[in-house]
Amino acid sequence: MTDTDIDPIRQFLACETPDAWVDAALDSLDTLLIDHANCEKKAAGTALNMLFRYVDRPRLLTALSKLAREELRHFEQVLKVMQSRGVTYRHLSSSRYAGGLFSHVRQREPGRVIDSLIVGAIIEARSCERFHRLSQRIDGDLGRFYADLLASEARHFQIYLSLARQCAGSPIDSRVQELLEAERALIVAPDKELRFHGGPPAPSG
């Protein structure tokens, strides 16, 4: 088990993951693993897209390249866990989470790059918080796997937030809070289907 301190993550996020989401995730671990694999692919893709878009920002390039590689390694690790548990990789619809967050990104530069990096930090922070919640409730190899991911997710959060501050060159606290509030709304709103970054299950009926 890792001894990663996630207090800075909790203090950063505007809310905790609802208990109802954790309970639903524990009841649908196969679906959770499949969507986790999808999230790792998307995280790598986001870093690569920014790598191509911002070739004129050399400060970003090395950091984003390293992030993309690590996200793909995580993807491979999730695949290995799925295979060990006999989980078949199948198509899942996307959650509204990432799209909802990125819909708040400004379209003009430098607002676009700053917001994109802040959103990256928020997503990594939420992943870290959820891995921690899950690792406290799941025994065996899967619980240890989630616990082992905490350090890298916390580091990715710090990298994205630091890059956002560097690109801005001025305080970004108010913008961070605006995007965190948008994230909070997505996290607490019910979802019909379980997804790794989704909200708690919607009431049936």
Side-chain angles (χ1 to χ4, degrees):
M1 288 286 189
T2 182
D3 57 357
T4 300
D5 179 13
I6 71 156
D7 282 345
I9 299 290
R10 287 199 185 105
Q11 293 165 10
F12 174 76
L13 294 169
C15 70
E16 290 188 345
T17 291
D19 290 340
W21 180 88
V22 179
D23 293 338
L26 295 173
D27 287 338
S28 304
L29 287 176
D30 288 5
T31 299
L32 185 75
L33 281 166
I34 293 168
D35 201 50
H36 178 187
N38 290 340
C39 289
E40 298 292 358
K41 283 195 297 184
K42 291 173 184 176
T46 296
L48 287 171
N49 286 338
M50 294 184 70
L51 190 71
F52 281 102
R53 182 181 301 133
Y54 298 112
V55 294
D56 58 335
R57 293 179 177 271
R59 189 176 293 178
L60 293 180
L61 299 182
T62 299
L64 291 171
S65 177
K66 290 179 179 178
L67 282 168
R69 290 201 304 274
E70 190 160 11
E71 300 291 9
L72 286 174
R73 284 198 298 271
H74 290 172
F75 170 68
E76 294 167 3
Q77 289 172 337
V78 180
L79 286 182
K80 186 175 181 179
V81 171
M82 289 168 57
Q83 291 165 0
S84 72
R85 297 173 66 90
V87 178
T88 301
Y89 202 168
R90 65 183 188 277
H91 174 76
L92 292 179
S93 60
S94 297
S95 75
R96 56 187 168 76
Y97 178 83
L101 270 180
F102 279 105
S103 72
H104 294 276
V105 170
R106 290 169 287 181
Q107 294 305 300
R108 298 185 117 186
E109 300 292 359
R112 185 179 184 183
V113 64
I114 294 166
D115 285 359
S116 295
L117 291 166
I118 294 172
V119 166
I122 292 172
I123 293 173
E124 297 292 342
R126 181 59 65 187
S127 297
C128 184
E129 187 254 0
R130 291 203 159 175
F131 287 142
H132 181 257
R133 294 292 304 276
L134 291 166
S135 69
Q136 291 182 314
R137 298 279 302 276
I138 300 174
D139 295 326
D141 291 344
L142 185 56
R144 287 189 290 273
F145 173 62
Y146 283 139
D148 288 342
L149 288 175
L150 291 177
S152 59
E153 300 301 313
R155 187 176 67 257
H156 294 178
F157 152 68
Q158 293 167 347
I159 290 170
Y160 271 117
L161 197 58
S162 175
L163 290 171
R165 287 174 173 148
Q166 291 172 16
C167 287
S170 59
I172 59 173
D173 293 352
S174 61
R175 186 57 181 157
V176 169
Q177 292 306 311
E178 289 173 2
L179 291 170
L180 280 170
E181 182 54 32
E183 197 261 358
R184 185 201 66 79
L186 291 164
I187 288 298
V188 301
D191 269 320
K192 292 182 179 180
E193 298 178 304
L194 175 76
R195 294 294 181 265
F196 185 82
H197 285 118
S204 58

